[in-house]
Amino acid sequence: MERETRQSAEDFLALIRRSKRGKFKIYIGMSAGVGKTYRMLMEARDLQRNGIDVKLGYIETHNRKETQALVEGLPIIGRKTVFYKGKLVEELDVEAILQDRPEIVIIDELAHSNIAGSKNEKRWQDVFEILDAGINVISALNIQHIESLNQAIQAITSIDVTERVPDKVLQEADEVVNIDLTANDLIERLKEGKIYPQEKIQMALQNFFTTSNILQLRELALKEVASYVENKVATEVNVANIVKPSRFLACISSNEKNAKNVIRKTARLAGYLNSKWYVLYVQTPKEDPNKIALDKQRHLINNFKLATELGAEIIKIEHANIAKAIRIQVEQRQITTICIGKPRLRLYQLILATNVFNQLVRKLSFLPIDIIIFSK
């Protein structure tokens, strides 16, 4: 009873905080050049004409003439300049925005990494601080910057995108707008010099801006926004037939790559269904910290951090029987779907792993549980 009362109070406090928080709008696109910054500036001008106190906190025009022209006449909150590695670097001035307190602030490049020594490591964290102060924010990012899509983006483009935002950033948005273009239109804009300088166009056409890449990235962007809208409907629209909510359990080991893959893919599934999800690590006697290598322990900690950033609740338990430990968690947390990785082991290890899987299937055979095995 006491636990339920405490949870109820925490939920009410969270509701109060959300009501005081600024509104958050994100423009998302499949790549650079689709017109995200242009659309933000167009909206800023419309808001200004309607008497709204809107200011530019950080805008990156990339010297595009059409975009640069829209900046003229809009009030700007100056950037802060910092010496970094012998150079003057311009960054978003969070303190200046908090002091100015505009009704709406436009902040570009949401996935940007701040220079070392900044209060926040990432710009999205700066934005959250501004939102918490009750200031409304309009921002933008490309689909390739979403954390759980990292492997899919790398498979499409052969590029490992280093600047990424956790999926929770989109989930926290009050509105997400997809800026869409056909592959032909985007390539035409590139050829006309509206995205990159002339000397970079040919290389871009041969590498990132191929029709195949653009089509696949466009599909990801459309799916992401569709998923966001579905989640909004599920949480804000009264539905007569309420279905039991899905709950996902990602089961990981100290295998770094396998675990990272399971975490990202489970995050995608849970995100599409707006579901609560957990990451479970069962520490067997063989995986006692004193018995496994330091690099494995470090990878495990990093994977816990990744899962937390993607919105998971971490469960770390000690148990000699993995299958039994999983079943206990399934029953306690009302799990509907278990996600595991396909073992990539030598034969005798595979036999042991299969034995664990068979035990798990037997223990769960009488429960309404789905089991998903990710191939890679």
Side-chain angles (χ1 to χ4, degrees):
M1 184 65 179
E2 182 183 343
R3 182 180 176 184
E4 290 177 0
T5 303
R6 186 170 62 251
Q7 184 61 49
S8 177
E10 289 174 357
D11 290 343
F12 185 60
L13 181 60
L15 184 63
I16 293 171
R17 286 171 177 164
R18 281 199 298 274
S19 68
K20 293 180 178 179
R21 198 168 188 256
K23 298 298 182 183
F24 187 24
K25 182 174 184 177
I26 299 177
Y27 282 103
I28 192 169
M30 58 186 164
S31 75
V34 295
K36 301 179 301 299
T37 304
Y38 187 90
R39 281 287 296 274
M40 283 197 298
L41 290 170
M42 287 286 288
E43 182 170 357
R45 297 182 80 86
D46 286 341
L47 290 166
Q48 187 187 50
R49 278 194 291 271
N50 284 283
I52 304 297
D53 178 20
V54 57
K55 292 184 179 176
L56 306 184
Y58 194 101
I59 282 290
E60 187 55 74
T61 65
H62 297 286
N63 296 319
R64 294 166 189 156
K65 293 180 181 179
E66 295 172 340
T67 307
Q68 188 64 46
L70 290 176
V71 175
E72 300 299 324
L74 288 172
I76 298 172
I77 296 176
R79 305 176 185 182
K80 67 178 178 182
T81 54
V82 184
F83 267 108
Y84 182 66
K85 294 185 177 180
K87 294 181 180 179
L88 268 179
V89 179
E90 291 187 337
E91 291 278 26
L92 177 73
D93 195 335
V94 177
E95 291 303 319
I97 292 170
L98 294 177
Q99 288 176 13
D100 191 286
R101 294 197 64 81
E103 193 171 346
I104 301 173
V105 62
I106 311 293
I107 300 174
D108 211 347
E109 306 281 352
L110 187 60
H112 171 77
S113 296
N114 296 330
I115 63 167
S118 300
K119 179 183 177 182
N120 295 314
E121 184 182 350
K122 301 286 185 176
R123 182 166 292 163
W124 66 263
Q125 294 169 319
D126 292 337
V127 166
F128 274 28
E129 188 175 336
I130 292 165
L131 289 168
D132 287 340
I135 300 169
N136 304 305
V137 177
I138 300 174
S139 192
L141 83 162
N142 291 326
I143 193 69
Q144 61 262 36
H145 295 295
I146 296 175
E147 178 64 61
S148 67
L149 287 174
N150 181 248
Q151 287 175 306
I153 296 297
Q154 192 168 4
I156 293 169
T157 65
S158 300
I159 297 170
D160 183 14
V161 179
T162 55
E163 290 191 323
R164 305 192 292 269
V165 301
D167 292 46
K168 70 177 181 182
V169 174
L170 256 68
Q171 293 161 10
E172 289 287 327
D174 297 281
E175 189 176 354
V176 176
V177 179
N178 182 39
I179 305 299
D180 189 36
L181 279 180
T182 66
N184 288 340
D185 286 343
L186 185 59
I187 290 171
E188 192 60 35
R189 281 180 57 79
L190 178 63
K191 289 178 177 177
E192 290 172 356
K194 294 181 178 179
I195 301 176
Y196 294 138
Q198 198 65 38
E199 64 272 14
K200 293 185 177 180
I201 293 175
Q202 196 55 43
M203 184 176 292
L205 286 169
Q206 293 170 353
N207 295 292
F208 188 90
F209 285 82
T210 65
T211 301
S212 173
N213 283 359
I214 294 169
L215 287 173
Q216 291 178 83
L217 292 172
R218 186 186 186 195
E219 180 185 24
L220 285 178
L222 291 169
K223 283 182 176 179
E224 189 66 31
V225 177
S227 172
Y228 169 84
V229 173
E230 287 175 4
N231 291 341
K232 278 293 214 183
V233 170
T235 55
E236 296 183 11
V237 177
N238 291 326
V239 180
N241 298 319
I242 299 175
V243 181
K244 181 184 175 183
S246 300
R247 285 174 173 247
F248 290 82
L249 181 69
C251 302
I252 67 168
S253 68
S254 55
N255 181 313
E256 179 207 4
K257 291 182 179 178
N258 192 314
K260 193 173 288 186
N261 177 55
V262 172
I263 289 168
R264 283 200 171 109
K265 288 193 173 182
T266 307
R268 295 303 300 162
L269 289 173
Y272 281 138
L273 295 174
N274 195 29
S275 303
K276 188 171 181 63
W277 68 291
Y278 306 85
V279 167
L280 171 64
Y281 169 65
V282 181
Q283 182 185 299
T284 62
K286 290 182 179 179
E287 290 215 333
D288 184 277
N290 295 321
K291 295 181 179 180
I292 63 172
L294 285 174
D295 62 332
K296 279 196 171 186
Q297 293 182 45
R298 187 169 60 252
H299 292 323
L300 196 58
I301 292 169
N302 289 337
N303 284 332
F304 287 157
K305 181 184 176 185
L306 171 64
T308 302
E309 289 177 347
L310 291 175
E313 181 179 323
I314 307 298
I315 308 167
K316 182 181 176 183
I317 58 175
E318 296 179 19
H319 207 290
N321 188 312
I322 295 175
K324 187 174 181 181
I326 292 174
R327 168 153 189 173
I328 291 170
Q329 294 302 316
V330 165
E331 292 177 336
Q332 285 182 354
R333 300 175 191 270
Q334 298 181 309
I335 299 299
T336 61
T337 307
I338 296 172
C339 301
I340 59 178
K342 186 177 181 180
R344 284 175 278 180
L345 309 166
R346 287 174 291 193
L347 183 59
Y348 78 93
Q349 291 174 307
L350 184 59
I351 292 168
L352 291 174
T354 304
N355 184 42
V356 170
F357 178 74
N358 288 336
Q359 286 182 41
L360 179 61
V361 171
R362 282 198 300 273
K363 289 183 181 293
L364 299 176
S365 59
F366 299 105
L367 296 174
I369 305 292
D370 293 319
I371 301 177
I372 298 175
I373 304 174
F374 297 125
S375 60
K376 290 183 179 179

